[in-house]
Amino acid sequence: MPGRKTNQVFDAARHLAGGMTASYRDRMVTVLYARAEAIAFRAVEKNAKARWDLDQRLDAILTSRVWGYPIMLALLAFVFWLTLEGADYPSTLLANLFFAFQDMLSGLFYRLGAPEWLHGIVVLGMYRTLAWVVAVMLPPMAIFFPMFTLLEDLGYLPRIAFNLDNFFKKAGAHGKQALTMCMGFGCNAAGVVGCRIIDSPRERLLAILTNNFSPCNGRFPTLITLAGIFMGGFLTTVSGTVLAALTVTGIVGLGIILMFFTSWLLSRTILKGVPSFFVLELPPYRPPQVLQVIARSILDRTIYVLARAALVAAPAGALTWVLANVHLDDLSIIAHLTGWLQPLGKTVGLDGYILLAFVLGLPANEIVLPILLMSYLSTGMLTEVDSLAALGEILVGNGWTWVTALNVMLFSLLHWPCGTTLLTIYKETKSLKWPLLAAVIPTAMGLAACFLVKLLAGLLGAKLGG
Amino acid sequence: MGLTRQATGFSTLQENFLPDGSNGYVVALAGNPNAGKSTVFNALTGLKQHTGNWPGKTVLQARGKFTHQGHSFTLVDLPGTYSLLASSVEEQVARDFICFGRPDVTVVVVDATCLERHLNLVLQVTEVTSKVVVCLNLMDEARRKKIVIDVPALAGELGLPVVPTAARKGEGLARLKDVIAAVATGTLHPVPTPIVYDAAIEAAAGRLARQLQPLLRGRLNARWVALRLLEGDATLIEGIQEFLGRELDDPGVKLQLKEVLA
C-alpha cells in the first residue's frame, strides 16, 4: 500500500524543521507571490487603464444580475433570427438547383433504360434525401456556426458560465457544466467528451446525462425549418420571422430549464452530493479573428457536420425508399411500421410517421426530417420540395397543425441522443447503465411534454390534425 | 481516455507524452489558462487545433512537430494551469510532464496584460528545470491596453530568455523558435534566479536535498524534490517512486531519513 508508506516519508519530512506545525506550503506560496509581485513591479509600466476599464464596464453589464439573463436570451434570439432571415433565400436557391438536377438525373436513368427500382433507390431515395439535407442544412449552419464561434472567440462563453453558475450550484451540478452545455449546442457527442473538464466523477456524470438537453446542430435545422413554416408563416413577413426566432429561442430555453431540473433531480436521487468548488477565470474580451473564425467554423464544423449528415443520409434515404416501396400484404413496410406506431403517436399529438422518422434517425438527428418527408411522399403526393411553402403543403396535407409542429419540435429537443452520442457516453462511462439512462430520461419527458401540449391545445379548442 | 486521477500516473505519462522515436528535441508548452497557449502551439506547429476563448479548452494534450535550423522539435501542449502545486488533475499532468517527462526546453506562455499573476507559474517551473523560455504573449493586447513591459529587465530579474510575441499575428515567433533551439542545443544556458525561502525552510530543504542527492542520481532536481516533500505533496512521491523504480521507503532510504531527522 503505497499511501501508508508515503505517509511515513512525509511524517519524517514534516518533522525535519523541529516539528513546526505551520504549513510549509503556505509559506512557500507567500514567497512565490512576493517574488512575482516584485518582478512585475520592476518590469511592468501601466500608462493608462482605458481598455481594462472597458472590459470591466462590459462585464458590469453582461454579467449583471439585472441585465445578464435578458442579454443572454436576446443574443440567442438575435442569432436565430439572423439564421432564419439569412438562410431562407439560399436554401430555396439550392433546393431549386438540386431538384432541377434531379430531373436531369431521372431523364438519364430513363434514357439508359434503368429498371424502376434502381431509379427509385438511387434518385428518389439517395439523391433526393441528400439534396434535401444539403439544401436545408447548409445555409443555416453556415450562418449559425460562425456566429456562435464569434461569441466564443469574443470571450462570451465564460460569462455565460458565470451567469448560470448560481443555478448550477442550486441544481447540485458543477459550474463548468455551462461550458459543456454550450459545446452541446454544436454537437452532443463533443459536449459529452468535453465533460472531461469536470474533475468530480459525480458532477461529470450529471453533465454527461444532461448534455442532450442542448439541441445540437443536427436538430437546429429541424427546429428552424418547422418554426419557419408553422410559427413564422413561411417567413414572408418580418413579424413572422421574429415569431419563428422567438419560438426556437423558447425551445432552447426550455431545454436549459429542463437540464437544470434534471440535474437537480439526479443530484437528489441517484447522484447525491454537493457541488465542488472551482475557479473560473473571466478572460479579457478579445476582438475575434473574424476571417479565421469564419474559415474554421465553416471548415471544421459546417463541412464536418454536413459530411456526416450526407454520409448517413444517402443510405438512410435508400433504406427509407425500400421500406416505402416493398409491399407485404398490399401494404408497404413503412405503412406496417407506422400503423404499429400510430396509436402511441396519436396519443401524444404526433403520428406514426413522425415516431418512425425519429427511430430511423437514430444514427443522426439531421436526417429525421428528410426521412419523414420521404415516408410522407411515398404515399403518393408531391415529388418536389423546393421551398418552405411546398414543404408546408406536404406536412399540412398529412394532417399537421401548429400543434403537431410544436410537438415535433419538443420531441426533437426531448428524445434519445443520437447513436454517436450514446456510443460516446458508453465510452466515457464504461457502463451501459448511463447511456440507457441518458436515453430514457429525455424520451419520457418528451412524450409527457407532447401529451401535455396536445391536452392543453385540446382544451384551448385548437383544431387537432387528422 | 479521460482525465482521471488513475490515468495521470507515470505509466500513462509515458504513453501520453513521451515521443515514440526520441529523435529531435522535446519542447513542453506550459501556461495559465487563456494565455494563448493553443494559439502559440498552432503558430509553431502549423496545426489547426481549435482555440477558444475559455479556460480548460485543452482537455487532451496535443502534440505537434516543427523543424527549425535543421533540428526537429516535438511540441507538447500541456493543460493550462495556474501553478504546479498539483491541486487539480490538470496541474498534476503539467507538473508530471515537466519533471518526469524531462523536456529539453519548457516554454512558459504568459499573458503580458496580467504578468504578475502569470509569473507564479514561471517561478515554479524554474524550480524544476533551468531550461525555461518565457514566451511573453499577447503583446498586441498589452499595447492596446497601454501596458509597457521592460523585457530586458524582466529577463534579468528571472534569469531567463524572454521573447515577446503576439502569436495571433505571428509576431515574435521566429525569435521564439531561435531561442528554443538555442536552449535545446545548449548554446544558450539560462541561469534562473533562485527563489529563497525563509531560513527554516531553507535549512530543512538543504539537509533533505543532501540526503536525496545520491538517491535521485541527478535524474531529478534534489532541491525541488526536497521542497515538495516538505510541502507534503502525496501525488509526487508516488510519481518519484515510479520514476526511479524504487520505493523512497525501502530500508536504505529510511535510514537516511532518520539521520536527517536526528
Side-chain angles (χ1 to χ4, degrees):
Chain A
M1 177 75 203
R4 196 179 45 77
K5 282 185 185 169
T6 306
N7 284 340
Q8 290 173 6
V9 181
F10 278 143
D11 291 341
R14 281 234 175 94
H15 284 98
L16 258 182
M20 289 176 96
T21 46
S23 161
Y24 279 114
R25 174 176 279 209
D26 286 352
R27 281 154 62 195
M28 290 181 194
V29 170
T30 311
V31 171
L32 282 172
Y33 272 66
R35 180 94 183 99
E37 196 186 339
I39 296 175
F41 178 74
R42 262 164 250 166
V44 180
E45 188 189 330
K46 281 184 189 174
N47 282 339
K49 288 188 165 185
R51 255 204 67 95
W52 177 239
D53 282 349
L54 180 66
D55 263 20
Q56 282 181 329
R57 268 207 299 258
L58 267 176
D59 268 340
I61 300 167
L62 292 177
T63 62
S64 88
R65 275 170 199 281
V66 184
W67 295 107
Y69 301 120
I71 290 177
M72 229 157 47
L73 282 175
L75 267 175
L76 203 63
F78 176 72
V79 169
F80 290 138
W81 175 77
L82 210 69
T83 308
L84 281 160
E85 187 69 39
D88 186 35
Y89 180 69
S91 270
T92 312
L93 209 69
L94 278 175
N96 283 334
L97 200 75
F98 286 141
F99 287 113
F101 188 67
Q102 184 190 320
D103 291 342
M104 285 163 59
L105 217 59
S106 290
L108 186 74
F109 269 73
Y110 284 124
R111 236 176 305 135
L112 291 175
E116 186 57 36
W117 62 265
L118 188 67
H119 172 258
I121 289 185
V122 175
V123 179
L124 298 180
M126 292 171 81
Y127 178 79
R128 195 162 56 181
T129 315
L130 203 62
W132 203 88
V133 167
V134 175
V136 170
M137 285 183 59
L138 182 60
M141 285 195 318
I143 299 173
F144 181 74
F145 284 158
M147 298 277 294
F148 201 79
T149 317
L150 278 179
L151 282 181
E152 183 183 339
D153 228 34
L154 206 65
Y156 189 63
L157 289 197
R159 271 78 190 180
I160 294 182
F162 181 86
N163 283 341
L164 295 178
D165 184 56
N166 200 24
F167 285 114
F168 280 106
K169 209 187 289 166
K170 280 195 180 127
H174 197 285
K176 279 190 198 166
Q177 196 175 320
L179 299 174
T180 63
M181 179 188 87
C182 288
M183 284 173 88
F185 286 119
C187 168
N188 292 132
V192 168
V193 174
C195 291
R196 289 174 185 179
I197 63 172
I198 299 172
D199 288 337
S200 135
R202 183 191 77 88
E203 288 150 41
R204 188 164 55 229
L205 267 177
L206 276 179
I208 288 176
L209 288 178
T210 56
N211 195 268
N212 189 41
F213 287 108
S214 303
C216 65
N217 55 58
R219 292 183 270 171
F220 271 119
T222 307
L223 297 179
I224 287 171
T225 309
L226 292 182
I229 295 171
F230 286 91
M231 284 76 186
F234 307 108
L235 305 176
T236 43
T237 59
V238 175
S239 60
T241 312
V242 170
L243 197 63
L246 287 180
T247 308
V248 178
T249 312
I251 293 278
V252 172
L254 180 71
I256 294 176
I257 290 169
L258 288 175
M259 181 272 301
F260 279 121
F261 173 72
T262 311
S263 303
W264 177 84
L265 201 68
L266 286 172
S267 68
R268 263 151 199 81
T269 50
I270 51 173
L271 288 169
K272 276 196 181 117
V274 283
S276 56
F277 153 90
F278 77 109
V279 180
L280 178 77
E281 186 180 357
L282 291 184
Y285 291 98
R286 286 176 188 155
Q289 302 160 277
V290 178
L291 283 180
Q292 209 197 328
V293 162
I294 292 174
R296 288 258 68 80
S297 54
I298 287 183
L299 289 176
D300 285 356
R301 299 204 190 174
T302 311
I303 300 296
Y304 167 76
V305 170
L306 201 65
R308 193 175 89 101
L311 218 65
V312 183
L319 177 72
T320 315
W321 190 87
V322 170
L323 290 180
N325 288 277
V326 175
H327 290 69
L328 299 170
D329 306 329
D330 288 341
L331 271 176
S332 68
I333 300 177
I334 272 204
H336 279 292
L337 290 171
T338 51
W340 186 66
L341 287 167
Q342 191 76 347
L344 176 65
K346 282 291 171 196
T347 312
V348 297
L350 300 167
D351 68 28
Y353 287 97
I354 298 170
L355 285 182
L356 184 69
F358 275 108
V359 171
L360 290 176
L362 178 70
N365 280 301
E366 289 87 340
I367 57 171
V368 169
L369 211 47
I371 288 183
L372 180 61
L373 225 56
M374 288 273 302
S375 334
Y376 281 150
L377 288 178
S378 70
T379 57
M381 304 238 347
L382 278 175
T383 47
E384 280 185 19
V385 194
D386 55 0
S387 65
L388 278 186
L391 180 57
E393 255 177 69
I394 298 172
L395 297 178
V396 171
N398 278 282
W400 280 44
T401 64
W402 67 269
V403 179
T404 326
L406 182 60
N407 272 348
V408 171
M409 290 166 79
L410 281 173
F411 200 68
S412 173
L413 175 74
L414 304 167
H415 72 289
W416 52 88
C418 74
T420 315
T421 307
L422 286 172
L423 206 66
T424 311
I425 296 178
Y426 173 72
K427 275 189 193 153
E428 293 291 312
T429 59
K430 303 264 184 290
S431 152
L432 280 175
K433 185 167 103 187
W434 302 117
L436 194 70
L437 202 62
V440 169
I441 295 172
T443 309
M445 283 184 170
L447 291 174
C450 290
F451 181 68
L452 214 66
V453 166
K454 185 198 154 192
L455 219 61
L456 284 176
L459 284 178
L460 283 172
K463 178 183 158 290
L464 271 176
Chain B
M1 194 187 58
L3 258 187
T4 60
R5 290 200 178 271
Q6 296 81 11
T8 52
F10 181 65
S11 42
T12 47
L13 177 82
Q14 240 157 350
E15 67 192 51
N16 276 349
F17 288 120
L18 303 183
D20 341 303
S22 55
N23 49 351
Y25 298 103
V26 177
V27 180
L29 198 61
N32 285 24
N34 267 302
K37 232 158 32 64
S38 296
T39 314
V40 172
F41 180 85
N42 286 347
L44 285 178
T45 59
L47 286 182
K48 296 293 177 198
Q49 195 199 10
H50 176 65
T51 59
N53 192 1
W54 50 281
K57 195 199 80 7
T58 310
V59 183
L60 291 174
Q61 293 73 50
R63 247 200 271 173
K65 281 183 184 291
F66 69 95
T67 49
H68 189 64
Q69 298 173 346
H71 302 289
S72 78
F73 297 88
T74 303
L75 194 63
V76 180
D77 194 9
L78 299 176
T81 56
Y82 296 102
S83 79
L84 289 186
L85 298 175
S87 48
S88 73
V89 180
E90 287 96 341
E91 290 181 359
Q92 202 187 322
V93 169
R95 186 208 59 195
D96 281 357
F97 185 70
I98 294 171
C99 85
F100 301 127
R102 314 209 41 169
D104 296 291
V105 183
T106 300
V107 178
V108 187
V109 182
V110 298
D111 180 349
T113 64
C114 37
L115 186 63
E116 182 182 330
R117 188 150 48 91
H118 286 230
L119 277 178
N120 281 307
L121 183 67
V122 178
L123 293 175
Q124 289 178 40
V125 173
T126 59
E127 288 195 299
V128 188
T129 167
S130 65
K131 292 174 175 174
V132 180
V133 174
V134 175
C135 168
L136 188 61
N137 195 27
L138 298 171
M139 283 303 278
D140 46 342
E141 220 167 273
R143 276 194 296 271
R144 238 192 343 264
K145 290 185 180 177
K146 307 252 187 329
I147 296 170
V148 180
I149 294 176
D150 185 343
V151 177
L154 180 63
E157 286 287 335
L158 290 168
L160 299 173
V162 176
V163 184
T165 61
R168 295 194 298 173
K169 297 179 176 165
E171 269 178 49
L173 292 168
R175 247 210 82 208
L176 182 62
K177 283 185 187 177
D178 288 344
V179 175
I180 290 173
V183 174
T185 53
T187 48
L188 183 65
H189 196 79
V191 186
T193 316
I195 294 149
V196 184
Y197 297 98
D198 59 50
I201 295 180
E202 284 296 332
R207 263 181 289 161
L208 196 52
R210 272 193 298 282
Q211 296 297 329
L212 288 165
Q213 207 94 52
L215 280 167
L216 301 173
R217 278 168 272 143
R219 291 168 72 190
L220 287 173
N221 178 336
R223 176 184 158 83
W224 180 71
V225 174
L227 286 170
R228 298 290 78 77
L229 276 172
L230 288 174
E231 193 197 304
D233 186 340
T235 57
L236 184 70
I237 305 283
E238 283 160 34
I240 291 173
Q241 287 173 346
E242 265 186 79
F243 180 69
L244 296 174
R246 178 169 183 185
E247 293 271 322
L248 275 188
D249 212 32
D250 69 19
V253 186
K254 211 180 264 171
L255 198 75
Q256 281 161 328
L257 273 173
K258 268 195 191 120
E259 280 169 31
V260 175
L261 266 169

